[in-house]
Amino acid sequence: MTLLEHAQVSLEAVVANKLRSTLTTLGVTIGSTAIILLISISIGASHEVTKLVEGLGSNLFMVAPGRGKGGPLTASPSLLRLSHAERIQKETSFHVVVSPVLNNLAAVRYGREAKAGVIVSGALPNFPEARSWRPTQGTFLKKSDLELARRVAALGRTVETALFPSGDSLGKDVVVAGEKFRVIGVMESKGQLFDIDMDNQIFIPLTTAQRIFGTSALSFIFVAVPKPDDIPAAMAEAKRIVGQTILPEQFSVKSQGETLETVQSISLIFTAMLGSVAGVSLLVGGIGIMNIMIVSVTERTREIGLRKALGAREPDILIQFLSEAVLLSFMGGCFGVTLAYIGSVVVSKASPTFALSISTFAVGLALIFSIAVGTFFGVYPAYRAARMDPIEALRHD
Amino acid sequence: MVRITDLVKTYQLEGIEVRALRGLSLTVDPGAFIAVMGPSGCGKSTLLNLLGCLDRPTSGTLEIGGVDVSSMSPTDLAILRSQKIGFVFQTFHLLARASAFANVMLPFVYSGYPSERRKPRALELLQYVGLQDRVRHRPNQLSGGQQQRVAIARALANDPGILLADEPTGNLDSKSGLEIMALIERLNREGKTIIMVTHSRELAEHAERIVHLLDGVMIRDEVVAERRVAEVRPDAEPA
Ligand SMILES: Nc1ncnc2c1ncn2[C@@H]1O[C@H](COP(=O)(O)OP(=O)(O)O)[C@@H](O)[C@H]1O
Ligand SMILES: [Mg+2]
């Protein structure tokens, strides 16, 4: 008996019980949908994470006020001062770029256009180097801008687009906190970092920022080291240096790597959840297929007896029922692919920032899994069918 | 030629030995037409199943075409069944969801019959049994007699030398039964060896020889003096 003949016999049996076959495949359908989404999401997430690492610079760490969580707009009063940044720069054994910033939220206005909730970031001229974030037009802040506490600004892309739809911002004066700032540059786009639009930001001299916000505190001290491998040692040094003047709970030192680890562990939890859904539904689906195959074998006992009387050998019967189980399971896999595809389209429509693309690898894996499940759970019923005694099978009623 | 010697078949039923055949010897010449008679439970079906290699004897030998099959492997037995033996059952055993045509096609996959010759062969067989107009009908759309014709066409698929029929007319009315007998006679005339189990003395008299069984032994081997012939006009349309 050829493979094609086996396939034909199995297909006929599956088609003969359309509703039952479809219901039987449900478990495997859900399982393979979960597998596909799971892998596609984690591939997507790891792309996202890689993008973040590249965007932030993998050789960067930062000193933040408070303990651990201090986001860019931390509420707790910061005890970080310029002196800390200077001492890190002086005292570490690495060739570091230390770039402190003072961030605050403010509205930025140009003529009748205004943008509220913009991150106004007081920075040093070395900021582009430390963060690998450079102007695409004009220049960044210069040393003299700092020394003279000039009112000049480099705009983030979002701010520029909002205030200058035609893109001619250089040399214009924008208003921040009631004061006019001359636009000297436009920064390259950095996109979203988690849920914060990094481009909704403007950079002004740190000295100017301290004056208009009336504080000498710092929001962050960014430290770039020559090689990513230097980060742990440099972090330890920075911790020691800052710790000489303020208490350990009043600041924290964290690397982007740690932030990314948090993201990755969240995506790992998600992966594990979907993974167990996939595993459980494949298991349930497999048991469902086994169950329906046992029913099918029992229902068709006389058919099995007849086939044997007509010359079917044990392997013929085994393959017939095994391929029926695999066919059912594979159908479930194909339904799963369809469902996952529909799901990805729906998700992408609903939230354009979270573009979920189905990976070919995931589809392949889900189909292989579905075939494996069918084979594994189909063997026992098929074996039972193959081993039936032809006479007893023919007499069965 | 089929030859059995001292054939014994014992079943174990909940620890009790059921002796279905107790030392039966019989020789069937090629092209013979034999009827097997006897009361219910005397071992007729057991004998037929052994002849059809569906079961193995407890002791004794069974030769088909000069080959001792009692020691053959299950695979070889399956091949033998598919090529040398055709079965006809009392309850037809057609696949309910398949058409007459598909039922006749069934044995081809197991014998490796050349695929391009399967369709014409199946149609030819359906024509042979008079069902050329019922090719696409399913069993539940056919009368009992017609269903048994499909079963006979299926039994003939691989052109076996031996046809084993276990009460082929047992589920049929007498008219359809006679038509089936006519078909079996015709097959015998064309050279098939027929071994047929029946309860009816009248039907048995269509055979050339009647083997009488009782409690697993042969009590009489009768040559039919005046054979009956199922009278069917050659041009008659079968029902
Ligand atoms: N599989 C079996 N297990 C136990 N006993 C059986 C089995 N098959 C047949 N028998 C017994 O063997 C005897 C002969 O059965 P069978 O050949 O079917 O009789 P017949 O066809 O002549 O009516 C009966 O007594 C029957 O009960
Ligand atoms: Mg019987």
Side-chain angles (χ1 to χ4, degrees), chain A residues 200-220:
Chain A
N200 188 23
Q201 188 162 186
I202 69 169
F203 297 93
I204 62 175
L206 180 61
T207 44
T208 316
Q210 286 175 331
R211 180 179 62 75
I212 64 170
F213 297 132
T215 174
S216 58
L218 296 176
S219 303
F220 297 109

Side-chain angles (χ1 to χ4, degrees), chain B residues 94-116:
Chain B
L94 298 176
L95 293 191
R97 55 171 198 270
S99 67
F101 175 73
N103 269 288
V104 177
M105 292 284 281
L106 200 57
F108 291 142
V109 291
Y110 299 117
S111 64
Y113 200 84
S115 42
E116 70 282 0

Side-chain angles (χ1 to χ4, degrees), chain A residues 28-74:
Chain A
V28 177
T29 302
I30 294 168
S32 32
T33 309
I35 287 186
I36 293 169
L37 291 180
L38 156 77
I39 295 174
S40 301
I41 286 171
S42 60
I43 287 178
S46 80
H47 272 301
E48 207 67 19
V49 165
T50 318
K51 239 169 53 192
L52 283 180
V53 176
E54 284 166 357
L56 293 168
S58 51
N59 55 346
L60 190 75
F61 71 88
M62 62 187 189
V63 183
R67 194 118 188 85
K69 295 202 175 57
L73 305 167
T74 181

